Amino acid sequence: IVVAMKTVANFWAQVDVGDGTTCWNWLGSTDKGGYGAFWFKDRTRSSHNWAWVFTHGPIPRGQLVRHRCDNRLCCNPVHLELGTHTDNAHDRVVRGRSASKRGELNGRAKVTTTQVREIRALRGIVLQRDLAARYGITQVSVSRIQRGIVGGWNHLG
């Protein structure tokens, strides 16, 4: 890929370049996923992809640029590596960023495993609206927890 030196200089001017071991964070705009975004040749691509291209050359077909450091803003070429979508998905699971986390490990969980067990144990003893107020959730959530149909808590049995 032929790139004007001015474009490359403009790109690196938006990176907080440090030593070879630290993350070099993107200082420019970001996309909705939190990755750095750089506009070049009529399209926006993630800044870490451009860091790879400007340092190593084109990204081969079927490959993508992955972060070894797990920092979406990092553009340090030493922290980047090529891999497949499968490699990237594996990294996501191993590093605990998978959306499939269950129960209180899911960042969107409103109650803990202990609280779910308490809510289930109090079925028919305490009104659902009272449990909802106690745990800061809706009555519908209490009902679903008690009936075992809330995603992520089914593993509790």
Side-chain angles (χ1 to χ4, degrees):
I1 187 169
V2 177
V3 181
M5 291 303 292
K6 182 178 178 181
T7 300
V8 176
N10 183 33
F11 172 83
W12 290 112
Q14 296 182 67
V15 176
D16 184 15
V17 177
D19 66 33
T21 61
T22 62
C23 287
W24 298 359
N25 288 326
W26 177 251
L27 303 173
S29 61
T30 57
D31 64 18
K32 62 184 177 184
Y35 291 91
F38 184 70
W39 178 266
F40 175 65
K41 290 211 175 203
D42 299 327
R43 73 181 270 193
T44 300
R45 286 178 73 177
S46 295
S47 57
H48 66 286
N49 286 322
W50 285 119
W52 180 273
V53 170
F54 295 155
T55 306
H56 301 290
I59 301 166
R61 182 180 293 286
Q63 298 280 295
L64 50 82
V65 181
R66 300 160 46 217
H67 288 99
R68 289 185 177 131
C69 58
D70 217 21
N71 174 359
R72 294 177 182 192
L73 295 176
C74 183
C75 293
N76 184 342
V78 175
H79 292 193
L80 305 176
E81 64 185 348
L82 292 176
T84 64
H85 285 285
T86 301
D87 296 331
N88 205 37
H90 180 261
D91 288 347
R92 189 170 51 246
V93 171
V94 168
R95 295 173 183 173
R97 293 181 288 107
S98 178
S100 64
K101 289 189 238 176
R102 300 185 329 179
E104 64 192 280
L105 295 177
N106 186 308
R108 296 180 4 184
K110 303 282 193 254
V111 291
T112 66
T113 300
T114 300
Q115 291 170 327
V116 167
R117 289 189 173 118
E118 291 169 2
I119 291 168
R120 288 183 177 165
L122 294 171
R123 185 177 186 174
I125 299 170
V126 179
L127 293 174
Q128 289 181 348
R129 72 170 180 250
D130 294 337
L131 290 172
R134 181 185 301 178
Y135 294 103
I137 58 178
T138 66
Q139 181 272 323
V140 171
S141 293
V142 170
S143 175
R144 296 185 68 173
I145 289 169
Q146 289 181 336
R147 291 182 291 141
I149 59 171
V150 175
W153 297 105
N154 299 340
H155 66 286
L156 296 179

